[in-house]
Amino acid sequence: MPHFRATITVMLRSSILDVQGKTVEHALHALGFTAVENVRIGKHITLELYAESHDAAIEQCHQMSQQLLANTIIEDYSIIVEPSQQ
Amino acid sequence: MPHFRATITVMLRSSILDVQGKTVEHALHALGFTAVENVRIGKHITLELYAESHDAAIEQCHQMSQQLLANTIIEDYSIIVEPSQQ
């Protein structure tokens, strides 16, 4: 079965205050990086999977995101799937 | 001064055991996603900044990563900077 590498990025929705991002932004300002703004911090998830096709791999990633990886009430996610060399 | 959007991805080095990733991998298997392996979880940081040039923006992101965003003893980071519409 074909092997794929997937990257799933999970970020708080833009309407939700990102407290971790704000804290890091203040720390960056304190370090002298005063030209920085709108810092937001999410999760970058990489994984490998076997699937019948590229479309099936993307569908699996959607299912995994909705069931476990993202809290879709407050988070958005994006998926990139590419064929693996393996 | 030009305005840029930056994305900084921070991941544990591949030689370091990713306990969070392993835990999520086991949870995915338990949910029936048995074709998934090598799950790793890092940080996806987005920010905006003002800089003299594209190169200067990348250099600022390197400095921020090394001073605050990444623990370079155990983590690798990658930087993408693109011009902002603003």
Side-chain angles (χ1 to χ4, degrees):
Chain A
M1 201 182 292
H3 190 247
F4 299 90
R5 283 176 197 279
T7 302
I8 301 170
T9 304
V10 180
M11 301 292 289
L12 280 173
R13 287 171 185 261
S14 55
S15 58
I16 309 269
L17 177 68
D18 182 344
V19 177
Q20 187 185 7
K22 274 290 166 218
T23 304
V24 167
E25 186 173 319
H26 290 151
L28 287 170
H29 290 173
L31 284 170
F33 299 103
T34 51
V36 173
E37 60 191 17
N38 208 7
V39 178
R40 296 185 76 82
I41 301 181
K43 281 174 286 189
H44 185 90
I45 302 163
T46 63
L47 53 85
E48 298 171 23
L49 77 166
Y50 293 89
E52 297 286 352
S53 66
H54 190 260
D55 283 352
I58 291 176
E59 175 57 24
Q60 270 201 62
C61 289
H62 272 294
Q63 292 294 331
M64 290 189 282
S65 299
Q66 287 175 15
Q67 290 183 39
L68 184 74
L69 303 176
N71 176 350
T72 55
I73 297 172
I74 57 168
E75 291 173 326
D76 289 322
Y77 63 88
S78 63
I79 294 169
I80 297 171
V81 173
E82 50 196 13
S84 162
Q85 305 304 336
Q86 184 178 317
Chain B
M1 200 181 295
H3 190 249
F4 298 90
R5 284 177 197 278
T7 302
I8 300 171
T9 304
V10 180
M11 301 292 286
L12 279 173
R13 286 171 185 259
S14 55
S15 59
I16 308 269
L17 178 68
D18 181 344
V19 176
Q20 188 185 6
K22 275 288 164 214
T23 304
V24 167
E25 187 173 318
H26 290 151
L28 287 170
H29 291 175
L31 284 170
F33 299 103
T34 52
V36 174
E37 60 190 18
N38 208 9
V39 179
R40 297 185 76 81
I41 302 181
K43 281 173 286 188
H44 185 90
I45 303 162
T46 62
L47 53 84
E48 298 172 22
L49 76 167
Y50 293 89
E52 297 287 352
S53 66
H54 190 260
D55 283 351
I58 291 175
E59 175 57 24
Q60 269 201 66
C61 289
H62 273 293
Q63 292 293 330
M64 290 188 283
S65 299
Q66 287 175 15
Q67 290 183 40
L68 184 74
L69 303 176
N71 175 351
T72 54
I73 296 172
I74 57 168
E75 291 173 325
D76 288 322
Y77 63 88
S78 63
I79 295 168
I80 296 172
V81 173
E82 49 195 15
S84 161
Q85 305 304 338
Q86 187 178 314

